[in-house]
Amino acid sequence: MLELSDAQIGGWVGSFMLPLFRIAALLMTMPIIGTQLVPVRVRLYLALAIAVVLVPTLPPMPQVDALDLRSIMLVGEQVLVGALLGFVLQLFFHAFVVAGQIISMQMGLGFAAMVDPTNGVSVPVLGQFYLMLVTLLFLAMNGHLVVFEVLAESFVTLPVGGGLLTNHHWEVAGKLGWVMGAGLLLALPAITALLVVNIAFGVMTRAAPQLNIFSIGFPLTLALGMVIVWIGMADILAQYQVLASDALQLLREMARAR
């Protein structure tokens, strides 16, 4: 008869369950996979599959009791680490959403909103277009594979039970404010061009007061805004590469303990 001791059960729990919680937390919070489009059960199965492949290559895990308070604290630590990594990726994707929303408001397209199927909220159509574009670019350039590589490295650079938030992590968290700045930089060319258009309409109104600026200016601003967005698509790949490099580098720094 096979008999298992508490130490053996605790070793198995620590070697498999603790990495599983970090992997599952990342998959539940990261873009693309962690959205409402992917059922929770599918995400859980994917986390189990990744854990089965990854666990044999990981360094030794701490021996814990399955029902001990320390094991619960370690589980909470792994969930927090995985959620932080997913949150960094969410900020990168939402930089493009912010840029699309800013441009939509400036060109008068803010009223055209649709339900975002990934988050379940209403967003401007242009913001949803930028989100779909950056999602396709992220998958086409194997960004998801880089994320899984960083996740595997995090078990070495930020081992289980090795402490969580240090001064290094707080410094990295202070860099997360680049999202709003990145969104403004993405939208800055379109905002500047639309500002020139609005100034031109203002000059026309002063020169010809009888001109109905509302009936003429609104459709022209909308049409010119679409042309400006179309022209700006020529440089979107270069902007994406810079922001993606910064986001993935920030992800590596977040997964590193110092």
Side-chain angles (χ1 to χ4, degrees), residues 76-105:
E77 175 185 304
Q78 303 318 303
V79 171
L80 184 56
V81 170
L84 286 175
L85 297 179
F87 180 67
V88 173
L89 291 175
Q90 287 283 3
L91 290 179
F92 163 64
F93 275 70
H94 280 79
F96 290 85
V97 177
V98 170
Q101 291 177 344
I102 293 174
I103 298 173
S104 296
M105 296 301 175

Side-chain angles (χ1 to χ4, degrees), residues 52-206:
V52 169
V53 175
L54 194 60
V55 164
T57 65
L58 298 180
M61 296 293 164
Q63 297 288 331
V64 295
D65 186 0
L67 300 178
D68 191 12
L69 178 61
R70 181 171 179 268
S71 64
I72 297 176
M73 294 180 63
L74 287 176
V75 167
E77 175 185 304
Q78 303 318 303
V79 171
L80 184 56
V81 170
L84 286 175
L85 297 179
F87 180 67
V88 173
L89 291 175
Q90 287 283 3
L91 290 179
F92 163 64
F93 275 70
H94 280 79
F96 290 85
V97 177
V98 170
Q101 291 177 344
I102 293 174
I103 298 173
S104 296
M105 296 301 175
Q106 291 295 319
M107 63 186 291
L109 200 60
F111 67 90
M114 64 176 293
V115 176
D116 182 5
T118 60
N119 299 314
V121 296
S122 295
V123 295
V125 176
L126 194 56
Q128 184 67 14
F129 170 74
Y130 274 102
L131 179 60
M132 294 191 324
L133 180 62
V134 72
T135 300
L136 294 176
L137 289 174
F138 190 77
L139 293 175
M141 297 185 178
N142 293 327
H144 57 294
L145 300 181
V146 177
V147 173
F148 293 148
E149 180 184 357
V150 173
L151 175 64
E153 292 177 356
S154 69
F155 289 99
V156 179
T157 58
L158 192 62
V160 176
L164 184 57
L165 294 178
T166 62
N167 292 332
H168 166 69
H169 294 100
W170 289 115
E171 293 175 359
V172 175
K175 300 178 182 178
L176 298 179
W178 62 273
V179 179
M180 282 301 299
L184 288 174
L185 288 176
L186 287 170
L188 188 60
I191 292 175
T192 305
L194 291 171
L195 179 61
V196 173
V197 172
N198 290 327
I199 292 175
F201 282 126
V203 173
M204 291 172 56
T205 304
R206 294 291 296 176

Side-chain angles (χ1 to χ4, degrees), residues 188-252:
L188 188 60
I191 292 175
T192 305
L194 291 171
L195 179 61
V196 173
V197 172
N198 290 327
I199 292 175
F201 282 126
V203 173
M204 291 172 56
T205 304
R206 294 291 296 176
Q210 69 275 12
L211 183 65
N212 191 348
I213 194 63
F214 292 102
S215 61
I216 298 176
F218 180 74
L220 282 179
T221 303
L222 188 60
L224 291 174
M226 297 299 294
V227 173
I228 292 169
V229 170
W230 175 65
I231 295 174
M233 285 294 104
D235 195 43
I236 193 67
L237 180 59
Q239 295 172 338
Y240 166 82
Q241 289 175 338
V242 173
L243 291 179
S245 299
D246 293 342
L248 294 176
Q249 182 62 33
L250 191 62
L251 190 69
R252 289 185 182 275

